[in-house]
C-alpha cells in the first residue's frame, strides 16, 4: 500500500478551516489492507461536494476530527475467514464505534457494509450470493426511507440505478430482526426487478435506528457522473452534507 | 495441545454452496444425498496443556472471531 497518499491529506491543505460557504464538513475514507474502492469514495466526496476528505489508515485510533466516515468496498484482509471478520478488529474500529455512538455519519459500502455487520453496528450477516456468482452489474434500487442521513435528498419510492459488484451480498438475519428492521424504518434500499444475490426481503441496504449509520451493497460512489453510466449515487453525498449543515445550523444562506 | 474447530452454516440458514454441491452429487447419480453443509475446518496449535482452560479459550475464540453466530454454528475437539 502506498503510504504517501495516506499521510498527505490533500483535502485539508487545499481548503482552509472554512470554505466560501461557511464551515467545511470533514470526511474520512478508512483504508484497510485490501480496500479497493477507497479512491472512488475519495473522488466522489471531492467531485460531488468539494469538501475536505482524508484517507485514514486502519491503524488510526482517533476519528474525532471527522464528521462523516466512509468504509469503502474491497476485500479487506483478503476476506479471509468471512468478509469483514478480521477488519472488524482493526484498531480504527474502536474509534468508529465511538463515532457511531456520537451520532456521526457513517456509510459502509459493499465490503464496508460487511464490516459494519461483523462489528455489530448493523444487525444481520452476509451469505454467499444464492447463484454462487460474483455479480458485477447495474442494479435497480428502490429508496425505502428518506429519514437517514444519506437519503434525505431522495424521494421515497424513487428507483435508482446503482452498480453492484460482490460475491457475498446475500443479506440474512433472523425473523425477529427482520421484523424489528421493518418496524423501525431501517430498511433503506431494496432491489427491484431481479434480486441479484438472494438477499432476505430483497434488502440492498439498511441503517441503524438513529439513521446515522447506513450500510449498502451497491456502490453509489461509482454512480456520480453520467460518464460512469449513472449519477443516481450523487445524492447519497449531498444528503449527508445537508444533514450535517442542518444539524450544525450552518445551512448556507447566500449573500447573508 | 491441538484444537480442531469446525464451523458450518446454521441448519435453518440456506447454504448456497452446500445446495450446489448436493445438486451436483445428485446429477452424478448419488441420489441418496439429501443435504450437504459446507463449512470450515481449522487446526489450532495451543501453547497449553490445561484442557479446561483451553476449552474456555477456544470457545471464546469461536464466539468472538472464528464463527459468526448470526449465520454459523461451531464445534471443536481438543487433543
Amino acid at each position: 500500500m502506498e503510504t504517501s497518499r495516506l499521510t498527505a491529506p490533500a483535502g485539508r491543505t487545499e481548503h482552509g478551516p472554512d470554505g466560501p460557504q461557511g464551515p467545511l464538513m470533514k470526511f474520512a475514507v478508512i483504508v484497510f489492507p485490501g480496500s479497493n474502492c477507497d479512491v472512488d469514495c475519495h473522488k466522489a466526496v471531492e467531485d460531488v461536494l468539494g469538501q475536505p476528505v482524508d484517507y485514514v489508515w486502519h491503524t488510526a485510533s482517533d476519528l474525532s476530527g471527522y464528521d462523516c466516515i466512509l468504509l469503502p468496498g474491497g476485500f479487506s484482509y483478503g476476506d479471509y475467514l468471512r468478509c469483514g471478520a478480521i477488519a472488524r478488529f482493526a484498531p480504527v474500529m474502536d474509534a468508529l464505534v465511538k463515532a457511531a455512538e456520537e451520532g456521526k455519519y457513517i456509510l459502509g459500502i459493499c465490503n464496508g457494509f460487511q464490516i459494519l455487520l461483523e462489528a455489530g453496528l448493523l444487525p444481520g450477516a452476509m451469505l454467499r450470493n444464492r447463484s454462487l456468482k460474483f455479480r458485477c452489474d447495474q442494479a435497480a434500487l428502490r429508496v425505502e426511507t428518506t429519514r437517514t442521513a444519506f437519503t434525505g435528498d431522495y424521494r421515497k419510492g424513487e428507483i435508482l440505478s446503482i452498480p453492484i459488484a460482490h460475491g457475498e451480498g446475500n443479506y440474512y438475519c433472523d425473523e425477529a430482526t427482520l421484523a424489528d428492521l421493518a418496524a423501525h424504518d431501517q430498511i433503506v434500499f431494496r432491489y427491484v426487478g431481479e434480486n441479484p444475490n438472494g438477499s432476505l426481503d430483497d434488502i440492498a441496504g439498511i441503517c441503524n435506528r438513529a439513521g446515522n449509520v447506513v450500510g449498502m451493497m451497491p456502490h453509489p460512489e461509482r454512480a456520480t457522473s453520467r460518464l460512469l453510466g449513472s449519477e443516481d449515487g450523487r445524492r447519497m453525498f449531498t444528503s449527508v452534507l445537508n444533514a450535517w449543515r442542518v444539524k450544525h445550523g450552518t445551512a448556507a444562506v447566500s449573500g447573508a | 495441545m491441538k484444537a480442531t474447530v469446525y464451523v458450518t452454516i446454521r441448519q435453518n440458514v440456506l447454504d448456497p454452496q452446500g445446495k450446489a454441491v448436493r445438486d451436483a452429487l445428485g446429477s452424478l447419480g448419488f441420489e441418496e444425498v439429501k443435504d450437504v453443509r459446507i463449512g470450515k475446518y481449522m487446526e489450532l496449535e495451543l501453547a497449553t496443556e490445561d484442557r479446561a482452560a483451553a476449552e474456555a479459550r477456544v470457545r471464546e475464540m469461536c464466539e468472538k472471531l472464528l464463527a459468526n453466530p448470526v449465520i454459523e454454528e461451531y464445534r471443536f475437539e481438543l487433543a
Side-chain angles (χ1 to χ4, degrees):
Chain A
M1 197 87 224
E2 321 90 283
T3 50
S4 58
R5 68 185 170 92
L6 298 171
T7 52
R12 284 296 187 80
T13 49
E14 284 165 16
H15 305 267
D18 294 314
Q21 274 122 37
L24 291 166
M25 184 175 179
K26 298 178 189 70
F27 287 76
V29 176
I30 308 295
V31 184
F32 297 94
S35 293
N36 65 11
C37 299
D38 44 334
V39 177
D40 307 58
C41 282
H42 192 281
K43 293 278 178 206
V45 173
E46 276 187 335
D47 293 351
V48 177
L49 302 178
Q51 299 291 303
V53 50
D54 290 344
Y55 293 109
V56 175
W57 193 231
H58 64 113
T59 51
S61 55
D62 181 12
L63 293 171
S64 61
Y66 299 102
D67 305 299
C68 178
I69 300 148
L70 305 176
L71 296 181
F75 300 85
S76 57
Y77 298 89
D79 276 352
Y80 296 152
L81 195 62
R82 296 179 305 279
C83 304
I86 299 178
R88 172 250 186 287
F89 292 104
V92 77
M93 292 304 289
D94 286 339
L96 188 81
V97 170
K98 185 163 174 276
E101 287 166 355
E102 289 169 355
K104 291 195 176 176
Y105 305 123
I106 296 170
L107 175 62
I109 300 166
C110 199
N111 191 224
F113 183 16
Q114 294 163 339
I115 294 168
L116 291 175
L117 294 173
E118 282 284 340
L121 284 170
L122 294 173
M126 286 298 173
L127 295 164
R128 286 282 291 273
N129 289 354
R130 191 162 290 203
S131 64
L132 297 177
K133 288 179 182 144
F134 186 100
R135 291 290 306 271
C136 189
D137 267 319
Q138 207 68 20
L141 309 183
R142 186 171 56 238
V143 179
E144 301 290 7
T145 180
T146 58
R147 74 175 183 97
T148 82
F150 293 92
T151 53
D153 287 357
Y154 292 103
R155 294 184 311 279
K156 186 177 161 83
E158 191 175 345
I159 307 293
L160 312 180
S161 176
I162 307 269
I164 56 162
H166 59 253
E168 299 200 25
N170 180 357
Y171 178 81
Y172 174 84
C173 64
D174 61 31
E175 282 179 27
T177 305
L178 180 63
D180 203 55
L181 286 174
H184 294 93
D185 197 19
Q186 287 177 253
I187 298 170
V188 181
F189 297 111
R190 280 195 178 90
Y191 300 106
V192 288
E194 188 212 3
N195 177 335
N197 51 40
S199 64
L200 190 68
D201 204 18
D202 297 331
I203 285 174
I206 58 172
C207 65
N208 64 349
R209 283 205 190 174
N212 64 312
V213 180
V214 172
M216 62 193 295
M217 288 312 294
H219 287 270
E221 82 283 12
R222 297 189 191 176
T224 55
S225 158
R226 262 186 289 175
L227 283 173
L228 297 174
S230 168
E231 49 186 10
D232 288 349
R234 292 178 70 91
R235 281 176 285 162
M236 293 290 297
F237 298 92
T238 59
S239 294
V240 75
L241 179 60
N242 284 329
W244 179 80
R245 283 180 171 162
V246 166
K247 190 172 169 183
H248 294 270
T250 57
V253 182
S254 56
Chain B
M1 185 171 285
K2 187 170 143 186
T4 308
V5 180
Y6 305 87
V7 177
T8 48
I9 301 279
R10 293 172 80 97
Q11 283 299 331
N12 58 345
V13 177
L14 177 75
D15 173 0
Q17 291 185 85
K19 183 178 176 299
V21 172
R22 185 202 65 192
D23 293 349
L25 286 170
S27 68
L28 289 171
F30 299 102
E31 300 92 354
E32 70 271 33
V33 180
K34 293 292 175 210
D35 193 25
V36 175
R37 313 294 293 175
I38 292 190
K40 301 186 183 92
Y41 167 87
M42 295 171 239
E43 293 178 347
L44 280 57
E45 282 293 330
L46 307 177
T48 178
E49 293 306 318
D50 182 339
R51 197 179 174 85
E55 189 168 334
R57 294 283 283 176
V58 173
R59 179 160 290 116
E60 194 184 340
M61 293 175 207
C62 290
E63 296 282 341
K64 204 169 174 184
L65 176 67
L66 302 181
N68 180 336
V70 177
I71 46 169
E72 294 171 326
E73 52 199 8
Y74 66 87
R75 62 191 170 84
F76 61 87
E77 294 155 5
L78 295 171

